[in-house]
Amino acid sequence: MNNMNKLYVGWAEESLVPNARVMLAGQFYERISEYVESDITVTAMAISGGDAQLIIVSCDLVSVSDALIAEARAKFSDLCPEVSPTNIIIGATHTHASIKYGIGSSASLQVLKRYMPEDKQYAELVSEQDDVLKGLEAQSFIAEKIARAAADAWSRRAPALYANEFGRAVVGMCRRVKYDDGSAQMWGDTNMASFDALEGGNDSGIELLYFFDESEKLTGIVANIACPSQVMEHRSLISSDYWGKVKEYLREKFGSDLYLLALCGAGGDQCPRDLVRWVNPETPINDPNIKRPNYIERRADPSMFDLAGCRKIGRRVANEILAVYEEITEKHDSAEFVHNVMTLDLPLRKATYTDYHQAVREIEYFIQKNADKDTFNFADNAAMHIYAGTLARWERQQNEEMVPMELHIVRLGDIAIATNPFELFLDYGNRIKARSYAKQTFLIQLSCGSLGYLPTKRAEEGSHYSAYIASGNVGHEGGDLLVRKTVTEINKLW
């Protein structure tokens, strides 16, 4: 392949903070924002070279739905008709302190409504407060920001240089605990004699891209970390989480006109918390999985449920990005640049007949258990969602076998970029990186769709949240196919 092209790069950023409170996405209970801890944004980077076009948009959201992507791309086409909207990669940083948007019950809630007695319907998470931005109004607000940022970035393209580098800073750690009976649990307690091991590993690597203008002034940084940004996930506030702190620290050094494109790597089983050196939240959290009955105070990081943890990670990552910047010796103004977009069909993860009957029994049990109560507690609420999700899957698999996903494969010089719409477990990302012919491979999860967790076979056997049938659309067979297809498409470009 000989496709060396002069590169043109543009940047843009839009705030996602509205003039209203918002419903917050990412938990099994309703949270309404009380204040803005840090700005949530949409950041866009546009690259062109030869015939290739690419716009990557990073959103401080928990996920990007098909409906949001379709609306954003339609609005973008109105603003920038010369660029195909399929050339836009739209991804989420997975902050749990951002806007809940869209309407319509999930498949799980639709099932629950059918099982509930007429005098006791399951309450959906829809605030009745008039001053809260929600639903389709919230979706349109976000879509407009995405479209505007993407169009502005495209219009601002100018000749650029880049340097691809590598850094290392500990952010993500496995959040699934394996016990000696073979079971596993997300956020599991490790201070138990039955604790065997953390189910998976971690990846402290940071894939980095630095962009400069023709005078070699730094204009933007791309950073790819295999961990979602969910330190503040239980709090009732708006926050860009640790990525916001990284941006803040970098702008102290380079100025407010520096852009940061934050990309979430394969981190479906990762979190910013050390489950071995457990540190309790500074204030109570509405989640029984976080409680530790035999808590022992540890010498470790600050609470990774609070602002102190955000700042710690932000400083750690920013310091590494700055240190690597100081070591840059080579910049490129042209590269082999290719951007391919395709649809990949993966097998739907199916429920067994036994799974189906167990789910029916469990839902009936929880309804009976709470017959004399007005509401369900957190644990019962979460459990009912899981079992209802199994029933929804059983119904769906009677007519569907495959799950289509949008896949982007990019070559930029020595770099490969590959996307997926999952909370992809780390092992899959490691397999892709290890087999890729590229010198450096960037993986962007939770992009161009939202298809839930994609667990490993080991996780499915251990079960629990993130590995339940209801936790995602695709199982480990699909994960294996995703790895093979991604590796094949990357290596075709080398």
Side-chain angles (χ1 to χ4, degrees), residues 177-228:
V177 175
K178 179 177 173 291
Y179 297 100
D180 58 12
D181 63 354
S183 67
Q185 184 175 344
M186 182 185 278
W187 310 127
D189 192 346
T190 58
N191 183 18
M192 302 172 66
S194 57
F195 167 52
D196 181 38
L198 297 181
E199 185 182 80
N202 65 1
D203 180 2
S204 59
I206 310 177
E207 314 298 339
L208 293 167
L209 260 170
Y210 299 82
F211 284 93
F212 308 82
D213 64 18
E214 286 188 301
S215 65
E216 301 200 14
K217 177 188 175 184
L218 184 68
T219 58
I221 299 170
V222 181
N224 185 202
I225 293 177
C227 183

Side-chain angles (χ1 to χ4, degrees), residues 412-439:
L412 181 67
D414 292 333
I415 302 164
I417 301 173
T419 69
N420 70 83
F422 302 101
E423 291 189 65
L424 188 70
F425 273 40
L426 179 70
D427 284 0
Y428 295 117
N430 284 344
R431 287 163 58 187
I432 292 169
K433 288 184 177 183
R435 295 173 56 197
S436 167
Y437 287 169
K439 287 187 178 179

